[in-house]
Amino acid sequence: MEKMNSFLKVIECIEKVAAEEPKLMIAVVGKSASGKDTVAKRIAEIFAAELEVTCATRAKREGETNGKEHIFINNEYFDALKEDGCFAALHSYINDEGHLVQFGTLRPNFDVNPIHIVVVDEGGAEHLKEDAAKNGYCVKTLKVYADYEKRKARMLARGGMSLELFEHREKINAGIDSYETDWFLDNN
């Protein structure tokens, strides 16, 4: 297992890399309800960084706001952006109704801000690393960890999620356990 860091240690690590890298993307990964979004938002506040919001073609869920959790667009517009090479990371799947659902992280605009933060899965983090190598920026990964019981309690407290759906997400997120990152935050 990776060495767990405190939040302050993660901030120190980011400060050090940001001083050396003029274009930095931090990819935050972790299981459902580990605290990824909260950690990403806090880091963005501390560094006045650009918090990226991924594009998604799935339907907006109750309580979600367009532009906050995702930028909700249709598949046709998503495909046009993809064709134009706008995405740094892509992910897709077929949902239970048999429809294509796509997610994409737009390529960061470092003219706007030298530090960008995005919450992605491990596949998205790897796509970002590939894009960074081609387009001259640095990607560092941060895995946010919280134990099973803590995450289950958080998820169920949010409402709108059954225990069955949480268990389904656990299976989907299983690969994150072995994914090696630059930094590892214990968020219990």
Side-chain angles (χ1 to χ4, degrees), residues 117-150:
I117 300 168
V118 66
V119 175
V120 293
D121 64 11
E122 61 272 27
E126 290 303 306
H127 288 161
L128 286 170
K129 290 178 187 178
E130 292 169 14
D131 188 71
K134 293 178 197 168
N135 291 291
Y137 61 97
C138 174
V139 172
K140 292 293 184 182
T141 53
L142 168 62
K143 186 189 310 181
V144 179
Y145 171 82
D147 66 39
Y148 173 85
E149 290 300 326
K150 175 79 77 176

mmCIF file of all heavy atoms in Angstrom, residues 117-150:
data_model
loop_
_atom_site.group_PDB
_atom_site.id
_atom_site.type_symbol
_atom_site.label_atom_id
_atom_site.label_comp_id
_atom_site.label_asym_id
_atom_site.label_seq_id
_atom_site.Cartn_x
_atom_site.Cartn_y
_atom_site.Cartn_z
ATOM 1 N N ILE A 117 -7.350 21.230 -11.707
ATOM 2 C CA ILE A 117 -7.673 20.051 -10.904
ATOM 3 C C ILE A 117 -8.920 19.421 -11.495
ATOM 4 O O ILE A 117 -9.871 20.120 -11.865
ATOM 5 C CB ILE A 117 -7.919 20.441 -9.433
ATOM 6 C CG1 ILE A 117 -6.665 21.106 -8.865
ATOM 7 C CG2 ILE A 117 -8.316 19.224 -8.602
ATOM 8 C CD1 ILE A 117 -6.876 21.785 -7.548
ATOM 9 N N VAL A 118 -8.911 18.090 -11.570
ATOM 10 C CA VAL A 118 -10.080 17.380 -12.087
ATOM 11 C C VAL A 118 -10.259 16.077 -11.321
ATOM 12 O O VAL A 118 -9.285 15.459 -10.898
ATOM 13 C CB VAL A 118 -9.947 17.113 -13.604
ATOM 14 C CG1 VAL A 118 -8.816 16.141 -13.911
ATOM 15 C CG2 VAL A 118 -11.267 16.635 -14.205
ATOM 16 N N VAL A 119 -11.510 15.695 -11.117
ATOM 17 C CA VAL A 119 -11.842 14.414 -10.507
ATOM 18 C C VAL A 119 -12.156 13.454 -11.648
ATOM 19 O O VAL A 119 -13.045 13.723 -12.461
ATOM 20 C CB VAL A 119 -13.047 14.537 -9.552
ATOM 21 C CG1 VAL A 119 -13.458 13.173 -9.029
ATOM 22 C CG2 VAL A 119 -12.717 15.479 -8.406
ATOM 23 N N VAL A 120 -11.395 12.361 -11.724
ATOM 24 C CA VAL A 120 -11.570 11.361 -12.780
ATOM 25 C C VAL A 120 -11.383 9.970 -12.194
ATOM 26 O O VAL A 120 -10.921 9.814 -11.062
ATOM 27 C CB VAL A 120 -10.558 11.569 -13.939
ATOM 28 C CG1 VAL A 120 -10.824 12.854 -14.699
ATOM 29 C CG2 VAL A 120 -9.114 11.564 -13.445
ATOM 30 N N ASP A 121 -11.691 8.953 -12.992
ATOM 31 C CA ASP A 121 -11.359 7.592 -12.578
ATOM 32 C C ASP A 121 -9.924 7.305 -13.012
ATOM 33 O O ASP A 121 -9.268 8.151 -13.643
ATOM 34 C CB ASP A 121 -12.358 6.574 -13.124
ATOM 35 C CG ASP A 121 -12.361 6.463 -14.638
ATOM 36 O OD1 ASP A 121 -11.465 7.016 -15.322
ATOM 37 O OD2 ASP A 121 -13.272 5.799 -15.170
ATOM 38 N N GLU A 122 -9.426 6.122 -12.672
ATOM 39 C CA GLU A 122 -8.023 5.822 -12.985
ATOM 40 C C GLU A 122 -7.762 5.796 -14.486
ATOM 41 O O GLU A 122 -6.681 6.177 -14.937
ATOM 42 C CB GLU A 122 -7.563 4.529 -12.298
ATOM 43 C CG GLU A 122 -8.306 3.278 -12.679
ATOM 44 C CD GLU A 122 -9.543 2.986 -11.848
ATOM 45 O OE1 GLU A 122 -10.178 3.911 -11.306
ATOM 46 O OE2 GLU A 122 -9.896 1.809 -11.750
ATOM 47 N N GLY A 123 -8.750 5.375 -15.281
ATOM 48 C CA GLY A 123 -8.594 5.408 -16.738
ATOM 49 C C GLY A 123 -8.451 6.833 -17.239
ATOM 50 O O GLY A 123 -7.622 7.122 -18.111
ATOM 51 N N GLY A 124 -9.250 7.743 -16.684
ATOM 52 C CA GLY A 124 -9.150 9.153 -17.049
ATOM 53 C C GLY A 124 -7.803 9.737 -16.682
ATOM 54 O O GLY A 124 -7.221 10.520 -17.438
ATOM 55 N N ALA A 125 -7.274 9.356 -15.534
ATOM 56 C CA ALA A 125 -5.953 9.833 -15.120
ATOM 57 C C ALA A 125 -4.881 9.373 -16.105
ATOM 58 O O ALA A 125 -3.979 10.143 -16.460
ATOM 59 C CB ALA A 125 -5.630 9.357 -13.710
ATOM 60 N N GLU A 126 -4.987 8.135 -16.559
ATOM 61 C CA GLU A 126 -4.015 7.623 -17.533
ATOM 62 C C GLU A 126 -4.140 8.353 -18.872
ATOM 63 O O GLU A 126 -3.134 8.667 -19.503
ATOM 64 C CB GLU A 126 -4.167 6.109 -17.712
ATOM 65 C CG GLU A 126 -3.707 5.319 -16.498
ATOM 66 C CD GLU A 126 -2.260 5.608 -16.106
ATOM 67 O OE1 GLU A 126 -1.370 5.478 -16.969
ATOM 68 O OE2 GLU A 126 -2.025 5.984 -14.941
ATOM 69 N N HIS A 127 -5.373 8.632 -19.305
ATOM 70 C CA HIS A 127 -5.564 9.406 -20.539
ATOM 71 C C HIS A 127 -4.953 10.792 -20.404
ATOM 72 O O HIS A 127 -4.345 11.302 -21.347
ATOM 73 C CB HIS A 127 -7.046 9.533 -20.882
ATOM 74 C CG HIS A 127 -7.670 8.274 -21.365
ATOM 75 N ND1 HIS A 127 -9.024 8.078 -21.353
ATOM 76 C CD2 HIS A 127 -7.152 7.140 -21.875
ATOM 77 C CE1 HIS A 127 -9.308 6.880 -21.821
ATOM 78 N NE2 HIS A 127 -8.182 6.288 -22.140
ATOM 79 N N LEU A 128 -5.117 11.404 -19.231
ATOM 80 C CA LEU A 128 -4.529 12.726 -19.007
ATOM 81 C C LEU A 128 -3.008 12.679 -19.100
ATOM 82 O O LEU A 128 -2.389 13.579 -19.673
ATOM 83 C CB LEU A 128 -4.953 13.279 -17.649
ATOM 84 C CG LEU A 128 -6.395 13.768 -17.552
ATOM 85 C CD1 LEU A 128 -6.755 14.062 -16.102
ATOM 86 C CD2 LEU A 128 -6.611 14.998 -18.420
ATOM 87 N N LYS A 129 -2.406 11.640 -18.552
ATOM 88 C CA LYS A 129 -0.945 11.504 -18.639
ATOM 89 C C LYS A 129 -0.491 11.399 -20.084
ATOM 90 O O LYS A 129 0.511 12.014 -20.481
ATOM 91 C CB LYS A 129 -0.471 10.284 -17.850
ATOM 92 C CG LYS A 129 -0.584 10.438 -16.354
ATOM 93 C CD LYS A 129 -0.149 9.157 -15.666
ATOM 94 C CE LYS A 129 -0.377 9.173 -14.186
ATOM 95 N NZ LYS A 129 0.012 7.902 -13.547
ATOM 96 N N GLU A 130 -1.232 10.634 -20.888
ATOM 97 C CA GLU A 130 -0.903 10.501 -22.313
ATOM 98 C C GLU A 130 -1.043 11.844 -23.023
ATOM 99 O O GLU A 130 -0.181 12.236 -23.814
ATOM 100 C CB GLU A 130 -1.812 9.464 -22.971
ATOM 101 C CG GLU A 130 -1.562 8.044 -22.509
ATOM 102 C CD GLU A 130 -2.649 7.074 -22.962
ATOM 103 O OE1 GLU A 130 -3.463 7.423 -23.852
ATOM 104 O OE2 GLU A 130 -2.689 5.955 -22.414
ATOM 105 N N ASP A 131 -2.137 12.555 -22.741
ATOM 106 C CA ASP A 131 -2.357 13.862 -23.360
ATOM 107 C C ASP A 131 -1.282 14.853 -22.925
ATOM 108 O O ASP A 131 -0.786 15.637 -23.736
ATOM 109 C CB ASP A 131 -3.749 14.393 -22.989
ATOM 110 C CG ASP A 131 -4.090 15.640 -23.767
ATOM 111 O OD1 ASP A 131 -4.335 15.530 -24.986
ATOM 112 O OD2 ASP A 131 -4.098 16.737 -23.158
ATOM 113 N N ALA A 132 -0.905 14.809 -21.656
ATOM 114 C CA ALA A 132 0.130 15.709 -21.135
ATOM 115 C C ALA A 132 1.462 15.491 -21.844
ATOM 116 O O ALA A 132 2.160 16.453 -22.165
ATOM 117 C CB ALA A 132 0.287 15.509 -19.632
ATOM 118 N N ALA A 133 1.804 14.229 -22.094
ATOM 119 C CA ALA A 133 3.059 13.925 -22.779
ATOM 120 C C ALA A 133 3.065 14.506 -24.200
ATOM 121 O O ALA A 133 4.103 14.969 -24.678
ATOM 122 C CB ALA A 133 3.280 12.412 -22.822
ATOM 123 N N LYS A 134 1.908 14.511 -24.839
ATOM 124 C CA LYS A 134 1.801 15.043 -26.210
ATOM 125 C C LYS A 134 1.711 16.562 -26.240
ATOM 126 O O LYS A 134 2.083 17.186 -27.230
ATOM 127 C CB LYS A 134 0.551 14.486 -26.895
ATOM 128 C CG LYS A 134 0.581 13.011 -27.168
ATOM 129 C CD LYS A 134 -0.743 12.592 -27.797
ATOM 130 C CE LYS A 134 -0.926 11.104 -27.718
ATOM 131 N NZ LYS A 134 -2.294 10.697 -28.064
ATOM 132 N N ASN A 135 1.167 17.163 -25.172
ATOM 133 C CA ASN A 135 0.851 18.591 -25.201
ATOM 134 C C ASN A 135 1.617 19.433 -24.196
ATOM 135 O O ASN A 135 1.267 20.589 -23.959
ATOM 136 C CB ASN A 135 -0.658 18.779 -25.015
ATOM 137 C CG ASN A 135 -1.424 18.275 -26.216
ATOM 138 O OD1 ASN A 135 -1.356 18.854 -27.288
ATOM 139 N ND2 ASN A 135 -2.129 17.168 -26.052
ATOM 140 N N GLY A 136 2.649 18.871 -23.574
ATOM 141 C CA GLY A 136 3.584 19.661 -22.780
ATOM 142 C C GLY A 136 3.085 20.186 -21.445
ATOM 143 O O GLY A 136 3.348 21.338 -21.104
ATOM 144 N N TYR A 137 2.378 19.366 -20.701
ATOM 145 C CA TYR A 137 2.034 19.749 -19.337
ATOM 146 C C TYR A 137 2.285 18.573 -18.408
ATOM 147 O O TYR A 137 2.581 17.475 -18.846
ATOM 148 C CB TYR A 137 0.602 20.294 -19.224
ATOM 149 C CG TYR A 137 -0.532 19.382 -19.600
ATOM 150 C CD1 TYR A 137 -1.240 18.668 -18.631
ATOM 151 C CD2 TYR A 137 -0.944 19.257 -20.922
ATOM 152 C CE1 TYR A 137 -2.313 17.860 -18.971
ATOM 153 C CE2 TYR A 137 -2.024 18.455 -21.273
ATOM 154 C CZ TYR A 137 -2.706 17.758 -20.294
ATOM 155 O OH TYR A 137 -3.759 16.971 -20.630
ATOM 156 N N CYS A 138 2.229 18.828 -17.118
ATOM 157 C CA CYS A 138 2.530 17.828 -16.103
ATOM 158 C C CYS A 138 1.237 17.367 -15.434
ATOM 159 O O CYS A 138 0.401 18.197 -15.081
ATOM 160 C CB CYS A 138 3.466 18.439 -15.065
ATOM 161 S SG CYS A 138 3.809 17.369 -13.647
ATOM 162 N N VAL A 139 1.084 16.043 -15.264
ATOM 163 C CA VAL A 139 -0.050 15.494 -14.526
ATOM 164 C C VAL A 139 0.467 14.783 -13.290
ATOM 165 O O VAL A 139 1.380 13.961 -13.380
ATOM 166 C CB VAL A 139 -0.874 14.499 -15.376
ATOM 167 C CG1 VAL A 139 -1.930 13.808 -14.531
ATOM 168 C CG2 VAL A 139 -1.510 15.205 -16.553
ATOM 169 N N LYS A 140 -0.096 15.127 -12.153
ATOM 170 C CA LYS A 140 0.172 14.419 -10.904
ATOM 171 C C LYS A 140 -1.153 13.853 -10.424
ATOM 172 O O LYS A 140 -2.201 14.480 -10.581
ATOM 173 C CB LYS A 140 0.762 15.352 -9.839
ATOM 174 C CG LYS A 140 2.154 15.844 -10.167
ATOM 175 C CD LYS A 140 3.156 14.714 -10.139
ATOM 176 C CE LYS A 140 4.567 15.204 -10.368
ATOM 177 N NZ LYS A 140 5.525 14.096 -10.388
ATOM 178 N N THR A 141 -1.095 12.661 -9.835
ATOM 179 C CA THR A 141 -2.310 11.992 -9.389
ATOM 180 C C THR A 141 -2.372 11.933 -7.868
ATOM 181 O O THR A 141 -1.360 11.738 -7.199
ATOM 182 C CB THR A 141 -2.380 10.570 -9.966
ATOM 183 O OG1 THR A 141 -1.172 9.877 -9.666
ATOM 184 C CG2 THR A 141 -2.586 10.600 -11.475
ATOM 185 N N LEU A 142 -3.581 12.105 -7.360
ATOM 186 C CA LEU A 142 -3.859 12.051 -5.931
ATOM 187 C C LEU A 142 -4.997 11.070 -5.710
ATOM 188 O O LEU A 142 -6.097 11.282 -6.218
ATOM 189 C CB LEU A 142 -4.249 13.433 -5.397
ATOM 190 C CG LEU A 142 -4.836 13.483 -3.976
ATOM 191 C CD1 LEU A 142 -3.827 12.987 -2.946
ATOM 192 C CD2 LEU A 142 -5.305 14.899 -3.660
ATOM 193 N N LYS A 143 -4.728 9.997 -4.952
ATOM 194 C CA LYS A 143 -5.778 9.048 -4.598
ATOM 195 C C LYS A 143 -6.302 9.406 -3.220
ATOM 196 O O LYS A 143 -5.540 9.540 -2.265
ATOM 197 C CB LYS A 143 -5.259 7.613 -4.590
ATOM 198 C CG LYS A 143 -6.371 6.579 -4.365
ATOM 199 C CD LYS A 143 -5.881 5.156 -4.138
ATOM 200 C CE LYS A 143 -4.902 4.661 -5.129
ATOM 201 N NZ LYS A 143 -4.486 3.259 -4.873
ATOM 202 N N VAL A 144 -7.624 9.577 -3.133
ATOM 203 C CA VAL A 144 -8.282 9.874 -1.868
ATOM 204 C C VAL A 144 -8.859 8.565 -1.349
ATOM 205 O O VAL A 144 -9.606 7.884 -2.037
ATOM 206 C CB VAL A 144 -9.389 10.931 -2.052
ATOM 207 C CG1 VAL A 144 -10.084 11.215 -0.733
ATOM 208 C CG2 VAL A 144 -8.811 12.209 -2.644
ATOM 209 N N TYR A 145 -8.490 8.226 -0.119
ATOM 210 C CA TYR A 145 -8.912 6.962 0.485
ATOM 211 C C TYR A 145 -9.813 7.212 1.692
ATOM 212 O O TYR A 145 -9.545 8.084 2.514
ATOM 213 C CB TYR A 145 -7.698 6.146 0.947
ATOM 214 C CG TYR A 145 -8.081 4.941 1.767
ATOM 215 C CD1 TYR A 145 -8.484 3.769 1.142
ATOM 216 C CD2 TYR A 145 -8.084 4.991 3.155
ATOM 217 C CE1 TYR A 145 -8.879 2.665 1.891
ATOM 218 C CE2 TYR A 145 -8.477 3.897 3.912
ATOM 219 C CZ TYR A 145 -8.869 2.738 3.273
ATOM 220 O OH TYR A 145 -9.270 1.654 4.008
ATOM 221 N N ALA A 146 -10.890 6.439 1.763
ATOM 222 C CA ALA A 146 -11.714 6.357 2.974
ATOM 223 C C ALA A 146 -12.171 4.904 3.055
ATOM 224 O O ALA A 146 -12.440 4.269 2.029
ATOM 225 C CB ALA A 146 -12.903 7.304 2.907
ATOM 226 N N ASP A 147 -12.238 4.365 4.265
ATOM 227 C CA ASP A 147 -12.586 2.951 4.393
ATOM 228 C C ASP A 147 -14.045 2.694 4.011
ATOM 229 O O ASP A 147 -14.855 3.612 3.898
ATOM 230 C CB ASP A 147 -12.253 2.406 5.781
ATOM 231 C CG ASP A 147 -13.067 3.013 6.904
ATOM 232 O OD1 ASP A 147 -14.275 3.250 6.715
ATOM 233 O OD2 ASP A 147 -12.497 3.245 7.980
ATOM 234 N N TYR A 148 -14.361 1.436 3.805
ATOM 235 C CA TYR A 148 -15.664 0.995 3.310
ATOM 236 C C TYR A 148 -16.823 1.535 4.149
ATOM 237 O O TYR A 148 -17.762 2.112 3.616
ATOM 238 C CB TYR A 148 -15.696 -0.543 3.262
ATOM 239 C CG TYR A 148 -17.048 -1.107 2.918
ATOM 240 C CD1 TYR A 148 -17.435 -1.249 1.592
ATOM 241 C CD2 TYR A 148 -17.943 -1.502 3.916
ATOM 242 C CE1 TYR A 148 -18.681 -1.760 1.274
ATOM 243 C CE2 TYR A 148 -19.192 -2.006 3.601
ATOM 244 C CZ TYR A 148 -19.552 -2.135 2.278
ATOM 245 O OH TYR A 148 -20.787 -2.629 1.962
ATOM 246 N N GLU A 149 -16.770 1.345 5.452
ATOM 247 C CA GLU A 149 -17.886 1.763 6.309
ATOM 248 C C GLU A 149 -18.078 3.281 6.280
ATOM 249 O O GLU A 149 -19.200 3.768 6.269
ATOM 250 C CB GLU A 149 -17.683 1.270 7.749
ATOM 251 C CG GLU A 149 -17.829 -0.238 7.901
ATOM 252 C CD GLU A 149 -19.207 -0.778 7.481
ATOM 253 O OE1 GLU A 149 -20.230 -0.085 7.670
ATOM 254 O OE2 GLU A 149 -19.245 -1.902 6.937
ATOM 255 N N LYS A 150 -16.994 4.022 6.271
ATOM 256 C CA LYS A 150 -17.075 5.489 6.210
ATOM 257 C C LYS A 150 -17.720 5.922 4.887
ATOM 258 O O LYS A 150 -18.615 6.763 4.879
ATOM 259 C CB LYS A 150 -15.669 6.087 6.342
ATOM 260 C CG LYS A 150 -15.591 7.587 6.177
ATOM 261 C CD LYS A 150 -16.009 8.354 7.386
ATOM 262 C CE LYS A 150 -14.896 8.317 8.394
ATOM 263 N NZ LYS A 150 -15.158 9.107 9.565
#
